[in-house]
Amino acid sequence: MVLFYSFVFGQKENILVQKLRDNQTLMKSDMDKGYKELLPLEKQANKENNSKAKLEVLNNKAFYYFTQAQYDKAYKYARQLEKEASK
């Protein structure tokens, strides 16, 4: 079973991380719109080299593919998430 959750990163949450958490909330009500909004957030996370935001992106992607019953892709992103989070 794969569990999806928002990561807690101490008391100082940056704006991009919060946007990604809000994105996951949006995905729960409008999956397609949430995924479309995720892509520019992913670009921003990579551009800023924001490791916390990158983890949230992986979390949201795994969540998206899991809910779309694309389990191979969901597993791929969940494994990536696990690997990056352990660093």
Side-chain angles (χ1 to χ4, degrees), residues 6-67:
S6 291
F7 290 90
V8 178
F9 294 107
Q11 296 177 355
K12 291 185 178 180
E13 294 180 2
N14 67 45
I15 293 169
L16 182 55
V17 170
Q18 187 57 52
K19 285 181 181 179
L20 285 156
R21 290 179 183 163
D22 293 343
N23 175 260
Q24 189 174 76
T25 301
L26 173 60
M27 289 174 104
K28 291 175 183 176
S29 63
D30 188 342
M31 187 60 64
D32 292 328
K33 183 177 179 182
Y35 190 76
K36 286 177 186 173
E37 288 187 11
L38 176 61
L39 300 178
L41 295 172
E42 178 181 24
K43 287 181 183 178
Q44 185 179 352
N46 289 327
K47 181 180 176 184
E48 294 176 8
N49 198 25
N50 184 328
S51 60
K52 294 174 184 177
K54 287 180 181 182
L55 291 174
E56 292 289 344
V57 167
L58 291 172
N59 185 54
N60 288 9
K61 281 188 163 189
F63 175 76
Y64 172 80
Y65 287 114
F66 183 79
T67 60

